[in-house]
Amino acid sequence: MSAQDRKDYYYKKAKQQNYRSRAAFKLMELQTKSSILKYGDNVLEIGSSPGGWTQIIRSITERPVISVDLNDMEPIEGVYFIRGNISNPAINERIKPYMEKLHIEKFSAVLSDAMSRTSGKRDIDHSSSYLLCKRVMEISMDLLAEGGTVVVKQFQGDLTIPFLNEWSPRFRNSRITNVAASRESSSEVYIIFKGYISEHETDQFSQSPL
Ligand SMILES: C[S@@+](CC[C@H](N)C(=O)[O-])C[C@H]1O[C@@H](n2cnc3c(N)ncnc32)[C@H](O)[C@@H]1O
């Protein structure tokens, strides 16, 4: 199947099944391959608009979702949408009041499909997605529960393996994967981190006698 045929195929499938975007099939595939979410999880979703992933998250967790995007998003029942830029360090302070309202102390998972408009230039797309991934990790260090999961999307490049190496010590498992629902020509990958080890526990490990 050509890249265009693949795009059309998932676009039609999303329309038929009432998903807001063909991206919904990417999360379904990640879920099937890597069991990212479970019933009852509290999820922070980044780069949510127009809401295909949000629909999938809601259907699995059956919990309220807090979703953030630069662009507006049509309402979905049980979804608390924040229109904001994750590159702004103040974003955490905009998320926290919703956490309090929903009695969420920390999130079970932070999922990001965020990507700025692609330029078609590999290096530029790689570095802009790398910077978004870095911000998602920084936000997660503040808001993720012990044992939690992070998923980020990245356009592969020179910094992908260093990125994985930098963040994987903070988790029990990490892996890079791609999905069939991505465009064939795309260098898009998802990086999955599972089993967050909070600073506190890391300190305990480092202090415990050998
Ligand atoms: C591929 S789309 C997400 C599609 C979505 N997952 C779905 O299933 O419908 C990427 C989104 O990332 C958002 N985004 C890009 N940069 C962002 C940033 N700095 N802060 C918040 N959202 C951002 C874009 O506005 C865009 O809506």
Side-chain angles (χ1 to χ4, degrees):
M1 206 191 279
S2 73
Q4 188 57 44
D5 287 349
R6 184 178 294 248
K7 197 176 159 190
D8 293 347
Y9 169 76
Y10 283 107
Y11 177 78
K12 279 188 198 141
K13 206 168 152 181
K15 279 256 175 261
Q16 281 161 1
Q17 297 183 25
N18 283 328
Y19 290 119
R20 292 185 174 192
S21 63
R22 61 193 178 84
F25 296 102
K26 300 183 188 179
L27 183 56
M28 275 189 234
E29 210 177 317
L30 289 171
Q31 174 69 7
T32 305
K33 275 169 57 172
S34 303
S35 303
I36 289 158
L37 295 174
K38 61 180 185 319
Y39 174 81
D41 277 350
N42 289 315
V43 177
L44 172 65
E45 185 199 10
I46 294 172
S48 59
S49 189
W53 278 38
T54 325
Q55 292 172 295
I56 304 296
I57 296 167
R58 279 280 293 159
S59 70
I60 297 170
T61 65
E62 297 187 19
R63 288 278 305 150
V65 182
I66 301 176
S67 300
V68 181
D69 202 293
L70 276 177
N71 293 328
D72 218 346
M73 186 165 95
E74 289 291 317
I76 297 180
E77 201 197 328
V79 176
Y80 294 77
F81 177 71
I82 300 167
R83 187 167 181 184
N85 186 345
I86 60 156
S87 302
N88 182 344
I91 195 73
N92 296 26
E93 301 316 311
R94 292 190 57 202
I95 297 168
K96 285 176 184 172
Y98 289 91
M99 295 171 74
E100 268 173 43
K101 181 182 160 87
L102 296 166
H103 307 291
I104 297 171
E105 203 179 315
K106 296 273 179 170
F107 291 103
S108 334
V110 177
L111 306 189
S112 172
D113 194 29
M115 182 58 202
S116 37
R117 195 178 286 274
T118 48
S119 70
K121 296 199 173 86
R122 245 184 129 90
D123 283 356
I124 294 175
D125 292 340
H126 169 56
S127 53
S128 59
S129 77
Y130 169 84
L131 290 173
L132 285 173
C133 290
K134 187 166 178 277
R135 279 298 297 139
V136 173
M137 299 314 291
E138 287 164 358
I139 293 167
S140 302
M141 293 302 105
D142 186 21
L143 303 181
L144 187 66
E146 178 71 33
T149 296
V150 181
V151 176
V152 291
K153 171 161 83 177
Q154 194 168 119
F155 281 72
Q156 253 179 323
D158 294 351
L159 296 171
T160 302
I161 298 300
F163 174 84
L164 184 71
N165 291 341
E166 179 183 353
W167 293 102
S168 50
R170 302 303 309 273
F171 294 83
R172 296 190 199 287
N173 296 294
S174 55
R175 64 183 292 229
I176 300 183
T177 187
N178 49 21
V179 291
S182 293
R183 275 173 243 185
E184 213 168 53
S185 57
S186 168
S187 57
E188 171 180 291
V189 291
Y190 288 91
I191 307 175
I192 302 169
F193 298 97
K194 280 188 179 181
Y196 176 50
I197 304 162
S198 68
E199 200 77 64
H200 178 69
E201 196 179 313
T202 312
D203 288 349
Q204 278 179 346
F205 280 144
S206 60
Q207 282 164 17
S208 61
L210 290 174

